[in-house]
Amino acid sequence: MTTAPRIALVSDIHLSRARPYFHANWEILLQELVQEAPDLVLLAGDIALDAPHREEDLAFARAQLDRLPAPWRAVPGNHDVGNNIPDLRGEATVTEARRAAWLRHFDEDFWALDIGGWRIVGLDCLICGSGFAAEAEQAAFLERAVAEAAQRKVALLYHKPLCAFELLDTEVSQSFWYPEVRETVLRLMRDGVVRLCMSGHLHESRDRLIAGVRHVWAPGIAFVQDIAGEWLPERHGRRRVGYMMLELAEEPRVTLREPSRMLNIDIGNWLRSGSIGHYGTLAGSAPYLGLLGRQD
């Protein structure tokens, strides 16, 4: 009997040589994955801490990913290339230049990979709605990748969850895909082609069936947001640091991992105060540079 591929789904690492606020959890993750011995590591974005303002964060993050003990593939997050256009909360938005910086270090922002009986398609959800030429190129690529999947089941990987609870949710929020850019993906779901959707971004773990499609949210590695649930809207996710292990059988088996050694750093007070950029400025001109020991 063929063994189902084992995949580690990891998100929101927020790596930076200059500002290594969350680096301890990354080192613990590396040790955990040596023990897990996955066939593949999927990274659902926000690899870097603040790449839209500091490309060196991307370079450092790229070098760190090469320390993973298994093959890996990544898609960008808003902290890698900038947030969707239009911006709703004061973040840097995606630009052609910021996307080009990602491509310099990661080669591609949308891709397809076959493993076992599945085809995984990685997407850059931050360019959706941008009007960039790459947006149309990605849509055409997705159509081809799905059409050529043959008998394989299709899974999608992107940074932001598609929606909160319903595929036709109309609320506009930068926590999710904007309603007007979901249609290409929704059609594939209605056709029964896409069976699994994987994302990160919210620093919450959740595994839910929506309109017959499995939607898995990976928790963040770096930090949590409002662990007590005192003020952030309730999304029915679990707010702890960790990662997911998936067995890509006929029906995916998903297991949440929350290593006890990882630090549940809660930055909810920063977000509540109205400035999501605190961690990008507190270190000034990088006084922590060199404290990591490793310079790779």
Side-chain angles (χ1 to χ4, degrees):
M1 186 170 74
T2 304
T3 303
R6 297 180 67 253
I7 293 177
L9 177 60
V10 174
S11 193
D12 296 272
I13 309 166
H14 293 286
L15 293 170
S16 172
R17 187 196 304 274
R19 300 174 173 87
Y21 307 137
F22 315 113
H23 197 90
N25 282 354
W26 167 247
E27 295 294 334
I28 293 168
L29 174 69
L30 291 176
Q31 296 169 13
E32 292 284 326
L33 293 183
V34 168
Q35 298 301 314
E36 293 276 13
D39 299 300
L40 176 69
V41 179
L42 293 177
L43 297 118
D46 279 3
I47 315 300
L49 178 67
D50 193 21
H53 298 111
R54 185 183 181 86
E55 186 176 338
E56 202 280 333
D57 281 1
L58 270 185
F60 178 70
R62 174 65 176 80
Q64 288 295 307
L65 294 193
D66 285 336
R67 298 175 60 203
L68 285 165
W72 58 268
R73 300 297 288 271
V75 294
N78 50 300
H79 285 261
D80 302 317
V81 297
N83 220 330
N84 292 99
I85 303 168
D87 169 64
L88 302 179
R89 60 183 193 181
E91 285 192 61
T93 54
V94 64
T95 64
E96 298 274 20
R98 287 169 175 152
R99 176 175 180 261
W102 170 273
L103 297 178
R104 276 194 291 276
H105 298 286
F106 290 87
D107 299 326
E108 55 191 358
D109 57 345
F110 53 88
W111 44 262
L113 171 70
D114 293 339
I115 182 167
W118 288 77
R119 169 163 288 187
I120 301 170
V121 182
L123 300 174
D124 180 351
C125 67
L126 285 313
I127 61 173
C128 294
S130 67
F132 300 166
E135 181 183 5
E137 293 167 6
Q138 175 174 255
F141 173 84
L142 175 60
E143 294 283 344
R144 291 194 305 272
V146 169
E148 297 167 1
Q151 300 303 309
R152 287 188 169 87
K153 294 169 285 296
V154 175
L156 303 181
L157 173 72
Y158 40 72
H159 181 55
K160 294 184 178 183
L162 200 64
C163 62
F165 301 106
E166 301 293 338
L167 296 176
L168 297 181
D169 282 347
T170 57
E171 179 185 0
V172 177
S173 166
Q174 283 187 321
S175 294
F176 307 100
W177 287 44
Y178 291 158
E180 64 270 18
V181 300
R182 294 181 194 148
E183 180 53 36
T184 300
V185 173
L186 294 187
R187 183 178 58 75
L188 297 174
M189 293 180 181
R190 287 194 293 266
D191 291 346
V193 177
V194 172
R195 300 274 298 277
L196 171 67
C197 294
M198 299 171 285
S199 60
H201 185 52
L202 298 181
H203 294 254
E204 297 184 22
S205 60
R206 202 178 79 172
D207 180 4
R208 175 174 288 223
L209 202 64
I210 301 177
V213 178
R214 193 89 168 266
H215 292 255
V216 175
W217 297 0
I221 291 294
F223 55 80
V224 295
Q225 302 174 119
D226 186 31
I227 197 169
E230 294 172 341
W231 66 276
L232 281 176
E234 180 55 60
R235 295 179 289 235
H236 297 182
R238 178 172 169 80
R239 297 169 183 172
R240 300 291 189 280
V241 295
Y243 61 99
M244 299 285 211
M245 286 299 301
L246 285 75
E247 291 183 50
L248 286 186
E250 178 70 22
E251 185 63 33
R253 293 185 287 271
V254 182
T255 306
L256 173 63
R257 298 280 200 263
E258 296 176 347
S260 59
R261 294 184 298 152
M262 284 189 176
L263 302 173
N264 278 290
I265 301 169
D266 191 340
I267 69 162
N269 58 318
W270 282 356
L271 298 175
R272 190 174 191 177
S273 72
S275 178
I276 61 173
H278 285 318
Y279 50 76
T281 59
L282 286 180
S285 59
Y288 302 154
L289 188 64
L291 290 186
L292 297 182
R294 298 184 65 98
Q295 295 298 305
D296 54 348

